[in-house]
Amino acid sequence: MRHVSQPHPDRDASGPGQAPTLDEVARLAGVSRATASRAINGADRVSATARKAVESAVESLGYTPNPAARSLVTRRTDSIALVVPEPDERVFTDPFFVHTLRSVNRVLAARDLQLVLLLARPGDEERRMLRYLRRRHIDGAIVVSHHRNDRLADHLAALNLPSSFIGRPWSSADRVAYVDTDNLAGGRAATELLISRGCRRIGTIAGPSDMAAGLDRLSGWHDAMRDTGLRDDIVEQADFTESGGELACAQLVERHPDLDGLVVASDLMAAGALRALSASGRRVPDDVAVVGYDDLGVAERTTPRLTTVRNPIADMADQATRMLLEQLDDDRAPRAIRVIFPATVVPRESA
């Protein structure tokens, strides 16, 4: 049997298939069009009686607000940008970004907000991304994996755009909200673990020098080595990629054949380092003990499994997203908030 819907008695006979209008909602609720609009869009200046009448009319008529009209009233787009100033090939292969995306999107979805991913290499892509932010196509921005030269914290602070950072920004740290893990303590803890194991020729593969995490983890390694009176110049820098870690490790082993310990600033780089050590005939951990950093799944799949320092990126991304939402919910909410997560060593077979 085919069901034929009948027109609502309070609806204008404006033609078949046409959606109910705001005027119809206002008429059925017995309020002005302006009051109906304010009630639908959550404005404060609406009495409880009027709001209830409008809600009842919306449900009765099956009215769906026009998103464009709604945005004119609320000045909201209901979308949040996740800004990643990295090449797309890295974003879609590094588990760090996978965990970040998943956690941010989970919090936003619970609030019915849309995630907009913005990838921007230095140059034209970065300028295009800044224009997009400047024109307020989004309500706020979460920034991850930023570099010294992108100056994103400065740009966002100048725009007065609600924002939060995952990782300590290079500048304007006193003007923006950010979460981080104690990378300095993590680098130190990884090194002290190898020292306690009896390693004395401990090298490190550091992350990029234009990223706060790379610099802080390297500083932690330096501090632990100097405190123990050990040589602290066995250093190679790489780019947080597996191939970068493999190349850096091969260079370290060639220059320092007596290497007996290795602190690596990411698990991806450590996976590459394990491959280079195997190619050079070194056994892990018998000849060279290795500690990575992140614990985002890679460490459990290597042979041997990696001892590492946990980088709680899921918790950090969750916290950064909630900090941004607090700014959107309350214009008076403080924007320069800092939350630091502790570093924890996760022992496995490689050390």
Side-chain angles (χ1 to χ4, degrees), residues 29 44 85 107 123 130 140-141 164 173 180 184 213 239 242 251 265 280 305 320 341:
D44 295 330
V107 178
L130 287 173
S164 63
D180 204 357
L184 185 70
D239 56 0
E242 191 167 342
Q251 293 170 338
S280 70
R305 297 189 309 158
F341 287 78

Side-chain angles (χ1 to χ4, degrees), residues 10 143 166 205:
D10 294 297
V143 184
I166 301 174
I205 299 175

Side-chain angles (χ1 to χ4, degrees), residues 127-210:
R127 285 188 288 273
R128 185 167 60 250
M129 179 268 293
L130 287 173
R131 284 198 303 271
Y132 185 87
L133 297 177
R134 194 176 299 117
R135 291 169 181 169
R136 301 293 177 124
H137 292 301
I138 44 84
D139 297 328
I142 301 166
V143 184
V144 63
S145 195
H146 41 287
H147 297 255
R148 188 199 308 264
N149 293 333
D150 60 42
R151 299 182 63 81
L152 279 168
D154 295 338
H155 291 305
L156 292 175
L159 290 173
N160 199 31
L161 181 72
S163 62
S164 63
F165 282 68
I166 301 174
R168 174 174 59 85
W170 279 100
S171 57
S172 294
D174 60 340
R175 300 173 64 193
V176 296
Y178 74 89
V179 299
D180 204 357
T181 184
D182 193 340
N183 288 297
L184 185 70
R188 173 185 278 276
T191 311
E192 290 174 342
L193 175 66
L194 295 183
I195 293 171
S196 69
R197 194 179 187 276
C199 299
R200 290 298 176 266
R201 295 279 293 173
I202 304 171
T204 187
I205 299 175
S209 61
D210 68 340

Side-chain angles (χ1 to χ4, degrees), residues 210-221:
D210 68 340
M211 299 185 72
L215 206 60
D216 289 350
R217 293 171 193 178
L218 176 60
S219 295
W221 175 83

Side-chain angles (χ1 to χ4, degrees), residues 31 35 38-56:
V31 299
T35 297
R38 288 197 300 271
I40 289 170
N41 290 297
D44 295 330
R45 294 178 294 113
V46 181
S47 70
T49 301
R51 189 182 303 279
K52 185 175 181 180
V54 171
E55 290 173 352
S56 177

Side-chain angles (χ1 to χ4, degrees), residues 261-281:
L262 186 60
V263 174
V264 190
S266 81
D267 288 344
L268 271 181
M269 293 198 300
L274 290 178
R275 196 159 52 241
L277 290 170
S278 178
S280 70

